[in-house]
Amino acid sequence: NLAGISGREFTIKNRVGYFAVNPGNDSFTKSLSNFESTSQNWLAVTKNKDILLDIGANIGFYSILAINCYGYRQAYAFEPNPETFSRLQKNFSLNKLEAKARALNFGLGKENGEATLAVKKVHTGASSMAGSAGRNFDASIAVKVRTFDSFATETKLDAKRISFIKLDVEGYEYETLLGLRQTLNEMCVGTYMMIEIHPSSPKAKETRDLLNGAGMRQIKSTPTHNFLYRKAV
């Protein structure tokens, strides 16, 4: 019904929380309580639900789910697209999570600087810093990029407090992990990561090798190329 109404935004409520949605893009789909239902309950696997890193946060579904439904104490949500970031902030506000969920308007990569983000207006979840060759994007914008390691140093974020990392950056996973290596080494054994790795990605093998080298071991997967890793050593 909402999809047939143009030019208006709505606030919806479901078991996860409140979401500001626009029928003109995929914000409604990404707000549904059954969104990525196969991997949602992976957030429950860790006993110590302290910090969630939501890398490629989009509109904040996983951050809101982690805090509202699974009892995580804090979430850091990284989203470089300014328009999507605005909706992310709005959703945190609707759920009164400003004290627990921190929205950050930059991407994560292998070095500090800028990158080009290829944007899709309707399918915002397909926006990518991995390059637009062979893919149908609507526009390209310059966005700020930082390494997570430098962010953690600057904010004095203790890697041992990280309980779960959700990493979904549309083909830019390897570059993101390069800027996360120090943190991966410092995380506690038993820390989990959910990561999307498309088999067609030119750096799929390098991504897996980097994770294995950091002591991360794959324990689950879904048909949609989401993988659950656990730090074993």
Side-chain angles (χ1 to χ4, degrees), residues 67-210:
I67 295 173
N68 283 354
C69 300
Y70 289 99
Y72 280 74
R73 298 177 185 88
Q74 197 170 8
Y76 289 83
F78 301 87
E79 175 51 52
N81 186 330
E83 185 175 340
T84 307
F85 177 77
S86 177
R87 194 174 302 279
L88 169 68
Q89 288 183 304
K90 186 181 294 186
N91 287 340
F92 284 172
S93 178
L94 285 170
N95 289 276
K96 298 181 173 22
L97 295 182
E98 294 95 335
K100 293 184 176 181
R102 183 174 176 183
L104 299 141
N105 190 200
F106 55 85
L108 295 179
K110 63 181 179 180
E111 58 189 10
N112 297 332
E114 283 192 349
T116 299
L117 178 71
V119 175
K120 281 197 173 186
K121 294 293 185 180
V122 174
H123 185 16
T124 61
S127 299
S128 175
M129 295 189 293
S132 58
R135 302 173 70 181
N136 185 24
F137 290 97
D138 299 311
S140 294
I141 58 175
V143 295
K144 183 179 178 181
V145 176
R146 297 194 58 183
T147 69
F148 179 81
D149 289 339
S150 68
F151 171 78
T153 298
E154 178 185 298
T155 58
K156 296 182 169 62
L157 194 156
D158 185 357
K160 292 180 172 56
R161 290 188 57 206
I162 298 170
S163 301
F164 199 102
I165 300 173
K166 171 240 157 185
L167 205 171
D168 182 354
V169 288
E170 297 299 309
Y172 208 65
E173 289 78 16
Y174 180 66
E175 289 79 3
T176 300
L177 289 171
L178 287 175
L180 192 65
R181 284 178 295 182
Q182 180 180 335
T183 299
L184 292 176
N185 290 331
E186 294 175 356
M187 291 188 320
C188 293
V189 170
T191 303
Y192 288 85
M193 174 187 291
M194 184 181 92
I195 182 170
E196 183 182 55
I197 307 174
H198 285 280
S200 60
S201 169
K203 295 183 179 176
K205 182 181 183 303
E206 290 91 336
T207 300
R208 294 180 183 280
D209 288 346
L210 191 156

Side-chain angles (χ1 to χ4, degrees), residues 17-36:
Y18 292 90
F19 296 92
V21 303
N22 184 335
N25 59 34
D26 60 357
S27 57
F28 179 70
T29 303
K30 285 181 164 50
S31 302
L32 297 176
S33 57
N34 63 349
F35 173 65
E36 296 190 352

